[in-house]
Amino acid sequence: MKDTADTQNFRLWLKDRCGSLVSFDEPMSRHTSFKVGGPADIFVRPDSRDLAVTILMRAKESGVPVFMAGDGTNLVIHDEGIRGLVMILSNVPPDIAFEEFPDGNVLVTAHAGVRTKTLCRIAIERGYDGMNFALGIPGTLGGNIAMNAGTHLGAMEQVVHSIRILSGNGTLKNLDRKDLNFHYRRLHYPTLTDTTPLPVIFEASFLLRKGDKKTIGDEARAIVSARTKKQPVTLPNAGCIFKNPEGKDPAGKLIDMAGLKGRVQGGAMISEKHGNFIVNTGNARAEDILYLIELAKKEVHERFCVELETEVKIVGL
Ligand code: EPU
């Protein structure tokens, strides 16, 4: 990050305003599910939405680039680290509101830093149908909506009713479902013109249905148990590395057929359990993971003429 009078003032302001919630040159390996990543110039974990908005607006005024890291999942941050400010929202307390309607619909509103698994758990406890598809998706609601995260049972687009994003002037702007174009692992905002520097999702409402608690709970247990058998849930990872290519075999199957499961580079390994996962077996560096990503792309392309595209975000330098 360029050291200017503005960025220096921003650092001083942050230190004063955020105390222990901000750190400088913070190793991102401490905050990513992969447990890799070099230092962020500035790392901040606001404990309220107002504070998050204030920081983002000040960063914009000071010309400091911002990266919203969700919950640190679905990410590979380079060993050289990341310039500018990295923010996570999962430190904001998870206030969640529920509105039940006579027709059985339920509108659940939560802030973007709430973990998706928290919403899944609450839906099961309350007997709300609709979230079980997301069991096992790591990360926060905001991050998962932004990438339309999903499983073979569905994707976020099925349940999102509306979202609130931070607009350029610092106010929260409501976007209804009709203002959102969901695609496979992508979200576009066709009606957005005035939001800079990023459409940061701050809050979302989900449309679920009142259902039978026992049926929903039984279904959830079966999904979690199937997933635990198939995926390397005990080692640090970032979820699926690649998107499933359209109209082709799933990425994990292609990597498996290319004989790459169990391939090791430094402290990283293509999971022996599931070809679309890379695991950190102890002391992986981002460069080990990036090597395996390139290897999988190359081998799958050579053997099957399929271009794999990463689902994880690769950021930093
Ligand atoms: N397969 C293999 N070898 C492997 C892995 C998979 O042959 O090493 C085969 C399986 O036997 C199955 C097919 O490939 O026939 C699909 O595998 P799986 O059921 O595991 O689903 P997936 O398409 O690989 C998707 C999501 C996961 C989600 C699971 C379960 C994507 C990119 N991945 O995986 O999401 O957990 O379904 O619903 O859509 C994530 O997004 O981070 C993620 C892990």
Side-chain angles (χ1 to χ4, degrees):
M1 187 171 74
K2 272 193 201 138
D3 213 11
T4 63
D6 278 350
T7 58
Q8 278 175 16
N9 283 338
F10 179 64
R11 281 172 189 265
L12 289 173
W13 173 82
L14 264 179
K15 225 174 178 168
D16 186 47
R17 182 74 178 72
C18 299
S20 63
L21 301 176
V22 67
S23 40
F24 301 95
D25 298 317
E26 174 74 11
M28 290 308 291
S29 52
R30 293 186 187 156
H31 305 284
T32 55
S33 64
F34 243 148
K35 310 258 175 273
V36 301
D41 290 336
I42 306 171
F43 176 68
V44 67
R45 297 169 298 137
D47 58 3
S48 74
R49 270 185 284 186
D50 286 352
L51 181 58
V53 171
T54 310
I55 295 168
L56 289 172
M57 296 314 289
R58 286 293 284 250
K60 188 181 159 202
E61 283 161 26
S62 311
V64 172
V66 171
F67 178 67
M68 301 299 290
D71 195 17
T73 59
N74 217 53
L75 265 186
V76 182
I77 297 182
H78 279 275
D79 298 314
E80 290 76 10
I82 179 163
R83 309 290 67 88
L85 177 134
V86 175
M87 179 184 282
I88 61 168
L89 288 176
S90 50
N91 202 31
V92 178
D95 53 330
I96 304 181
F98 308 92
E99 205 179 341
E100 293 188 6
F101 296 94
D103 64 0
N105 282 340
V106 186
L107 197 65
V108 182
T109 299
H111 81 74
V114 171
R115 294 189 171 97
T116 297
K117 69 176 178 197
T118 304
L119 182 56
C120 290
R121 179 179 47 75
I122 290 173
I124 295 164
E125 281 165 10
R126 290 181 159 248
Y128 296 158
D129 203 5
M131 281 310 296
N132 273 353
F133 80 89
L135 283 162
I137 299 180
T140 58
L141 293 172
N144 284 321
I145 293 171
M147 63 169 291
N148 193 18
T151 63
H152 69 288
L153 296 171
M156 296 306 276
E157 64 186 299
Q158 274 173 214
V159 286
V160 171
H161 170 272
S162 56
I163 62 175
R164 259 69 61 208
I165 60 160
L166 182 64
S167 64
N169 62 9
T171 57
L172 290 190
K173 180 180 167 84
N174 186 68
L175 295 176
D176 285 328
R177 185 65 181 73
K178 63 175 171 34
D179 302 317
L180 305 171
N181 272 357
F182 285 103
H183 306 273
Y184 177 68
R185 304 293 178 262
R186 272 183 304 134
L187 166 60
H188 284 155
Y189 304 88
T191 59
L192 223 59
T193 50
D194 65 339
T195 301
T196 51
L198 292 165
V200 179
I201 301 173
F202 260 79
E203 189 179 82
S205 299
F206 302 85
L207 195 57
L208 306 180
R209 294 229 8 119
K210 275 294 275 175
D212 177 58
K213 225 187 241 187
K214 182 173 179 319
T215 311
I216 296 166
D218 289 348
E219 183 190 66
R221 272 183 289 282
I223 293 170
V224 170
S225 148
R227 184 178 153 262
T228 310
K229 279 187 200 131
K230 279 202 240 172
Q231 298 181 0
V233 291
T234 54
L235 286 170
N237 66 76
C240 282
I241 295 288
F242 297 103
K243 297 177 185 178
N244 281 337
E246 245 183 289
K248 307 274 166 53
D249 279 326
K253 186 172 178 182
L254 291 168
I255 294 165
D256 188 355
M257 291 192 301
L260 292 171
K261 280 163 82 171
R263 180 66 76 93
V264 171
Q265 174 72 15
M269 179 172 77
I270 298 183
S271 167
E272 286 167 323
K273 233 176 174 182
H274 195 298
N276 201 3
F277 281 71
I278 293 176
V279 291
N280 182 346
T281 55
N283 297 305
R285 291 170 55 78
E287 67 177 8
D288 301 333
I289 293 163
L290 295 172
Y291 175 89
L292 291 176
I293 290 176
E294 287 311 312
L295 178 75
K297 275 180 155 173
K298 182 173 153 284
E299 297 274 321
V300 165
H301 186 256
E302 275 175 18
R303 281 168 162 259
F304 310 111
C305 270
V306 175
E307 298 276 354
L308 289 180
E309 200 188 323
T310 47
E311 176 175 303
V312 289
K313 268 203 185 118
I314 300 167
V315 295
L317 276 188

